[in-house]
Amino acid sequence: MKQSEIFIAFLTIIRREIRRFMRIWPQTLLPPAITMTLYFAIFGNLIGERIGKMGGFSYMEYIVPGLIMMSIITNSYSNVSSSFFSAKFQHSIQELLVSPTPNWVVLMGYVLGGVARGLFVGLIVTLLSLFFTHLQVQNLFVTIIVVILTSVLFSLGGFVNAIFAKSFDDVSIVPTFILVPLTYLGGVFYSIDLLPDVWQQLSLLNPVLYMVNAFRFGILGVSDISVGWAMFIIMSFIVVLFSYSLYLLNRGQGIRN
Amino acid sequence: MTHAIEISDLKKRYESGFEALKGINLTVEKGDFFALLGPNGAGKSTTIGILCSLVNKTGGKVSIFGVDIDEDFATAKKYLGVVPQEFNFNVFETVFNIVVTQAGFYGISRDVAAERAEKYLKQLELWDKKDTPSRMLSGGMKRRLMIARALIHEPQVLILDEPTAGVDIELRRSMWEFIKKLNEQGTTIILTTHYLEEAEQLCRNIAIINRGEIVENTSVKSLLKTLNMETFIFDLDSKVESPFSIAGYPITFINDGHSFEVEIAKGQTINDVFVFLSEKGLNVISMRNKSNRLEELFVKLIKDKE
């Protein structure tokens, strides 16, 4: 395929992915808006006032970056996992397999679709958070880079999940039993300084911690860990997951006999 | 000379150990209307799956218009359009979006794709359904949608895997008229079907596959010439009161004596039967083949190999 043709194929996949999550907005865009509003109201407003300051900020200010990041992570992941799995389930993935679109373009198309939803939901949640607190972005560059890299990383995670999934249960098991606990334990609601030493060390094994903290640094200017180290961790995971996803696609894992 | 499809020593063994293809050789010429026939599980869909990249082969070579799929599958894929056996589109997408999106996967710009989508959807009588979600279409419409989608990149070879399964007679006829026109315009057609009369009427060349091996690969004409026996049904204008027999022509009475079947072997003529009936004063109101001739051969070839 010529470069221009590859670009058209790439845009086609992204357009289709965006069209998909916009078409089913009551399932994709509305739930995170409602859930996060409840988080802001209950944890931030009601309980947060009793908790007091954390990291030098009000509890509401402290959890907003974490909650925005949590929405981005969950939505990037589930967009790719559900879209790719349902293409497998309906066999419509064959439309791509019979075409000359290279596998790396297929992968990037799906990932960018996930990123688009992650960013869109992130924007909605950010706008909603402004009803509860003031956000003053301390480092716009770090904020944008972390958001994009995190959504890329979790879109790739969703892709690997969908490749191996054989039923819709398999698509929901990973988010429920792995992603949500990692996110909750990734410093969304607290600083790891509050934890006993052993749990602090264990928390450092959680990749979500690095993303939440890097993003919090971008917004509030505070972080439990070094932002440079966080970026390195995120980038490393992306390289590994991208290579693995491409390997699985080239092998035809779960999609070719 | 470059062939449309050239397959040599193609093998496929599934992870379960099942050997779906045992080293088949097959050539389809440019512009041909080619039938690939075989019972269920014979290896037809595996062969087609390998051609269009849905199945990984275990061994052998496949070239599409001279392009080896191991060397440049992307180019080879551009020559192919596939209409699979099962519906494989997103049921929530509209007809128009399904076709235009497929064009995008081939690197065709949206403007060109929209023009072609209009052309093929109109030809296949689906234009008025362009904004309908595909799940709302009837079975026949879904089949036509898959044909339009397969043609959107204007392939040189169109593979149709049992395209008329479950399609009513009228629609089947109009679908074949459309496919015949495509073939006349130069598109090579490869067809698998269970309706053998379709293969006999439409195809010039034929391959019969059974248990992963090609058991016959010739022209439909040559194949029919090998037929040794045909059964004809004669419908009479009145009931035969006393059953008769004709020397050398096995007869079976059916339809309460209003009709009979007679087997005509190679070298015999139907004239003998007519002469006999005339002498008896029996009038024939109609006559037809009992079954499709190709079907008889097909059954014989499959049985011979078992």
Side-chain angles (χ1 to χ4, degrees):
Chain A
M1 272 180 115
K2 292 180 209 157
Q3 293 299 316
S4 57
E5 292 174 335
I6 287 177
F7 188 63
I8 290 173
F10 177 60
L11 287 183
T12 304
I13 300 171
I14 296 174
R15 189 183 289 126
R16 190 184 63 170
E17 287 304 291
I18 293 174
R19 195 169 58 228
R20 190 192 80 90
F21 76 70
M22 293 300 266
R23 185 181 58 227
I24 52 171
W25 64 270
Q27 295 170 46
T28 53
L29 306 179
L30 193 59
I34 293 172
T35 312
M36 289 304 146
T37 304
L38 290 172
Y39 272 122
F40 293 142
I42 297 167
F43 288 97
N45 262 4
L46 298 177
I47 300 174
E49 279 173 15
R50 295 176 182 228
I51 291 174
K53 295 228 176 242
M54 192 167 293
F57 294 90
S58 73
Y59 190 62
M60 174 67 94
E61 284 174 320
Y62 191 83
I63 63 167
V64 162
L67 290 174
I68 294 171
M69 195 49 103
M70 191 164 111
S71 316
I72 292 169
I73 288 172
T74 319
N75 282 279
S76 306
Y77 189 95
S78 59
N79 194 70
V80 183
S81 63
S82 59
S83 173
F84 194 79
F85 180 73
S86 70
K88 261 174 64 173
F89 187 76
Q90 295 184 63
H91 302 292
S92 61
I93 191 63
Q94 292 177 0
E95 293 177 332
L96 267 167
L97 297 180
V98 301
S99 80
T101 307
N103 284 336
W104 64 269
V105 176
V106 173
L107 178 58
M108 283 185 60
Y110 270 97
V111 167
L112 263 285
V115 170
R117 176 161 150 200
L119 296 185
F120 201 78
V121 170
L123 181 67
I124 293 171
V125 174
T126 305
L127 293 174
L128 286 171
S129 74
L130 296 177
F131 288 103
F132 299 89
T133 186
H134 291 288
L135 282 180
Q136 267 194 320
V137 179
Q138 300 298 315
N139 192 326
L140 189 62
F141 177 73
V142 170
T143 307
I144 292 171
I145 290 291
V146 171
V147 163
I148 292 173
L149 289 182
T150 303
S151 51
V152 167
L153 173 56
F154 281 93
S155 296
L156 285 165
F159 190 85
V160 174
N161 186 177
I163 284 260
F164 285 107
K166 291 196 168 100
S167 67
F168 281 102
D169 286 345
D170 296 339
V171 176
S172 63
I173 279 171
V174 177
T176 309
F177 294 104
I178 298 175
L179 205 57
V180 170
L182 280 181
T183 312
Y184 275 61
L185 297 170
V188 170
F189 297 103
Y190 57 86
S191 163
I192 59 166
D193 289 342
L194 299 176
L195 300 173
D197 206 34
V198 179
W199 286 103
Q200 272 192 36
Q201 295 306 315
L202 276 174
S203 294
L204 293 175
L205 297 175
N206 180 359
V208 178
L209 178 82
Y210 297 89
M211 296 156 210
V212 169
N213 273 281
F215 186 65
R216 187 172 282 137
F217 176 82
I219 303 273
L220 302 178
V222 295
S223 171
D224 289 341
I225 39 124
S226 142
V227 175
W229 179 238
M231 293 286 196
F232 174 76
I233 296 277
I234 300 171
M235 296 283 275
S236 304
F237 270 106
I238 287 175
V239 171
V240 170
L241 276 182
F242 187 86
S243 310
Y244 185 53
S245 302
L246 197 56
Y247 163 76
L248 292 172
L249 257 186
N250 288 336
R251 198 164 167 256
Q253 179 77 40
I255 47 174
R256 281 194 178 93
N257 279 311
Chain B
M1 184 194 161
T2 308
H3 305 289
I5 306 281
E6 204 171 356
I7 292 172
S8 60
D9 198 26
L10 186 63
K11 290 176 186 160
K12 174 64 189 177
R13 182 188 286 273
Y14 286 97
E15 277 179 17
S16 62
F18 175 66
E19 205 173 2
L21 296 175
K22 298 169 182 168
I24 65 164
N25 296 295
L26 205 59
T27 302
V28 179
E29 301 299 339
K30 281 182 192 170
D32 200 354
F33 206 131
F34 189 91
L36 182 61
L37 307 180
N40 287 331
K44 305 182 300 284
S45 292
T46 300
T47 307
I48 287 172
I50 291 170
L51 281 174
C52 59
S53 158
L54 298 177
V55 176
N56 292 328
K57 65 185 169 66
T58 318
K61 287 253 170 209
V62 176
S63 294
I64 301 166
F65 276 81
V67 180
D68 189 327
I69 63 167
D70 291 327
E71 288 168 15
D72 187 1
F73 211 163
T75 303
K77 282 174 177 179
K78 284 189 178 181
Y79 291 117
L80 283 185
V82 187
V83 181
Q85 209 175 113
E86 289 172 22
F87 301 129
N88 68 343
F89 40 73
N90 186 329
V91 294
F92 302 105
E93 285 278 15
T94 63
V95 168
F96 187 78
N97 276 339
I98 285 172
V99 179
V100 170
T101 299
Q102 187 67 17
F105 297 154
Y106 284 82
I108 296 164
S109 72
R110 211 166 160 77
D111 293 344
V112 175
E115 272 175 34
R116 286 189 193 172
E118 184 175 349
K119 174 180 151 191
Y120 289 114
L121 290 176
K122 278 182 175 168
Q123 285 181 8
L124 287 154
E125 295 169 33
L126 281 174
W127 184 242
D128 58 330
K129 301 282 179 190
K130 70 183 169 72
D131 297 319
T132 306
S134 59
R135 67 179 183 279
M136 312 288 277
L137 300 178
S138 68
M141 287 174 182
K142 286 176 180 167
R143 292 262 167 223
R144 282 180 281 157
L145 169 59
M146 292 206 293
I147 294 175
R149 186 186 60 181
L151 290 172
I152 197 71
H153 63 288
E154 305 196 326
Q156 311 230 25
V157 181
L158 183 65
I159 299 177
L160 301 131
D161 194 2
E162 294 185 27
T164 47
V167 172
D168 67 51
I169 295 167
E170 195 182 344
L171 187 61
R172 197 184 303 168
R173 283 189 182 160
S174 69
M175 203 184 271
W176 287 130
E177 282 310 310
F178 180 77
I179 304 290
K180 268 161 79 176
K181 264 186 205 159
L182 274 179
N183 181 242
E184 283 160 15
Q185 287 160 9
T187 307
T188 307
I189 308 288
I190 299 175
L191 161 76
T192 79
T193 179
H194 277 138
Y195 302 105
L196 297 184
E197 71 274 17
E198 282 182 351
E200 185 178 341
Q201 285 165 19
L202 296 162
C203 300
R204 285 190 282 281
N205 291 299
I206 191 167
I208 296 177
I209 188 169
N210 190 32
R211 297 186 175 187
E213 290 174 296
I214 299 287
V215 293
E216 188 62 76
N217 184 7
T218 182
S219 70
V220 173
K221 272 186 190 169
S222 315
L223 189 62
L224 290 174
K225 274 184 192 166
T226 64
L227 195 64
N228 289 318
M229 187 76 76
E230 279 190 77
T231 305
F232 291 90
I233 296 174
F234 286 78
D235 297 313
L236 305 172
D237 68 345
S238 58
K239 183 179 177 180
V240 175
E241 296 300 340
S242 52
F244 53 80
S245 61
I246 310 172
Y249 296 86
I251 286 180
T252 311
F253 286 92
I254 56 171
N255 192 20
D256 198 24
H258 284 88
S259 306
F260 66 90
E261 292 175 8
V262 58
E263 289 179 11
I264 312 283
K266 206 172 182 181
Q268 290 182 321
T269 66
I270 305 174
N271 284 5
D272 292 345
V273 179
F274 277 111
V275 168
F276 179 86
L277 294 172
S278 293
E279 284 171 358
K280 278 266 185 186
L282 295 166
N283 297 319
V284 177
I285 53 172
S286 68
M287 187 192 85
R288 63 188 186 276
N289 270 81
K290 182 188 178 185
S291 61
N292 174 263
R293 296 176 300 163
L294 191 58
E295 194 168 303
E296 287 178 26
L297 272 170
F298 177 80
V299 172
K300 182 178 174 299
L301 281 164
I302 299 298
K303 274 191 178 165
D304 285 351
K305 285 281 169 185
E306 282 176 355

